[in-house]
Amino acid sequence: MSVRIYTYTASMLSKTKIWISVSAILAFASLPASATDAVFAAPALDHGFQLLYNLDFDRAHGIFSQWEKSHPDDPMGPTADAAGVLFSEFHRLGVLESQCFELDKRFENRPKLNADPAIRARFDAAIQQAQNISRTRLAKNSRDKDALFAMTLTNGLQADYAALIEKRNVASLHYTKEATGWGEQTLSADPDCYDAHIAGGISKYLIGSMAAPVRWLVRLGGISGDKQEGVKELKLVADRGHYLAPFANILLAIAYVRDHDKPHARELLASLRDQFPANPLFAQEIARLDSSN
């Protein structure tokens, strides 16, 4: 599906289905979000995330870089920068425009992409910086909401890089498991951090969509799944999340397409298109859905 805009992804052996937690953002995009009111109210970070959803990576990086300089002890600065680096690389490599995610067989046969070593180094450095800051803060307070959430997101971003660029499915599964664990700790510290449900939602949907024998193997590795519960958590992020609400809607649209529910998928994509007019991927996906009727 052309709009897989950033996230966590996982898979197991050659039969494992991989769900994209990506995309436009993250939007990732997957996009990073903080659990505290101070960060939620910060216009700089908020604006940076909006720019990522609109694929304006350079301006977003400028905002995140300035935030890091003025808030050196905040792990969300380098976390946001890592997301921006990853999503811009996805965009350069055409990951966000590929339709292979809709069909499991096509995704399984996807090629390993030619990543830029300099971009990879920048991504790794941002991830390491965010996790170092987080671990330092967690050593002082094990229930530090910002640090826990940054660990959730950085592991999710690493899962995306491993699966979508390097085609390292088992490594992606490991990072997805880590992201889910950190997400659970984040919600334990702050039940109102609805964005943290993104990790569990993706993991449960992904594992729950696997064939029974593969689900059993993955469960042995400590990860269980339930497709409907995964959708439920994604809807919670879409309805009550902050930075990741658009991302959750992107993932839900993908789920609807995979379930052949084009009306609901189109409704979500139309809303995203209107909210982020500078991102052409939503309109392109709507056109593709319409042409397939």
Side-chain angles (χ1 to χ4, degrees):
M1 179 175 186
S2 64
V3 187
R4 261 120 322 82
I5 319 181
Y6 323 104
T7 109
Y8 320 70
T9 328
S11 153
M12 183 72 171
L13 308 176
S14 62
K15 294 183 180 180
T16 301
K17 298 179 180 179
I18 299 186
W19 168 274
I20 229 167
S21 296
V22 200
S23 295
I25 277 178
L26 279 181
F28 173 76
S30 83
L31 292 188
S34 172
T36 64
D37 291 340
V39 174
F40 272 70
L45 280 183
D46 192 277
H47 184 47
F49 297 141
Q50 295 298 308
L51 290 171
L52 284 184
Y53 280 104
N54 272 314
L55 305 183
D56 191 342
F57 304 113
D58 290 340
R59 291 176 62 199
H61 278 309
I63 288 175
F64 296 146
S65 178
Q66 186 57 46
W67 182 268
E68 289 183 64
K69 292 177 181 178
S70 58
H71 301 78
D73 298 323
D74 184 356
M76 286 310 302
T79 297
D81 195 52
V85 170
L86 180 62
F87 303 151
S88 62
E89 183 71 340
F90 281 166
H91 188 59
R92 183 185 72 83
L93 294 171
V95 171
L96 305 184
E97 300 171 8
S98 171
Q99 298 177 13
C100 70
F101 294 92
E102 185 178 340
L103 300 176
D104 297 318
K105 187 66 176 178
R106 188 183 299 170
F107 186 81
E108 181 181 323
N109 294 331
R110 73 200 185 282
K112 180 179 178 181
L113 300 177
N114 186 23
D116 185 328
I119 295 297
R120 176 58 194 267
R122 181 179 173 187
F123 174 73
D124 288 343
I127 291 290
Q128 191 63 54
Q129 182 182 357
Q131 293 188 349
N132 286 343
I133 295 173
S134 296
R135 293 186 186 283
T136 297
R137 290 175 57 154
L138 289 170
K140 299 176 182 178
N141 176 11
S142 63
R143 294 176 64 81
D144 186 312
K145 296 174 290 185
D146 290 331
L148 291 170
F149 193 70
M151 292 298 294
T152 302
L153 292 177
T154 52
N155 276 279
L157 293 170
Q158 288 175 292
D160 282 342
Y161 195 104
L164 303 179
I165 295 181
E166 298 178 319
K167 200 178 179 180
R168 293 192 301 129
N169 297 336
V170 175
S172 178
L173 181 64
H174 165 74
Y175 287 125
T176 298
K177 180 180 177 181
E178 287 292 308
T180 301
W182 287 111
E184 291 172 351
Q185 291 187 59
T186 303
L187 290 167
S188 176
D190 180 10
D192 293 331
C193 183
Y194 295 102
D195 282 321
H197 283 281
I198 198 75
I202 291 172
S203 178
K204 289 175 183 177
Y205 182 92
L206 186 154
I207 305 301
S209 298
M210 294 176 179
V214 181
R215 283 203 308 272
W216 182 78
L217 287 174
V218 174
R219 191 176 295 115
L220 291 180
I223 304 178
S224 59
D226 183 311
K227 184 176 178 179
Q228 294 307 314
E229 284 298 313
V231 169
K232 184 177 179 180
E233 284 206 67
L234 290 175
K235 286 183 176 179
L236 185 60
V237 179
D239 292 340
R240 307 192 66 176
H242 185 64
Y243 295 117
L244 297 184
F247 181 41
N249 277 321
I250 291 166
L251 299 181
L252 287 170
I254 297 173
Y256 288 138
V257 170
R258 292 171 67 91
D259 287 340
H260 307 291
D261 186 351
K262 292 182 181 179
H264 279 104
R266 194 187 191 288
E267 180 182 357
L268 288 179
L269 291 167
S271 176
L272 289 163
R273 176 199 60 195
D274 295 342
Q275 187 177 358
F276 304 104
N279 187 334
L281 298 178
F282 302 117
Q284 291 171 12
E285 184 62 19
I286 291 172
R288 193 176 72 84
L289 286 176
D290 291 344
S291 65
S292 65
N293 288 335

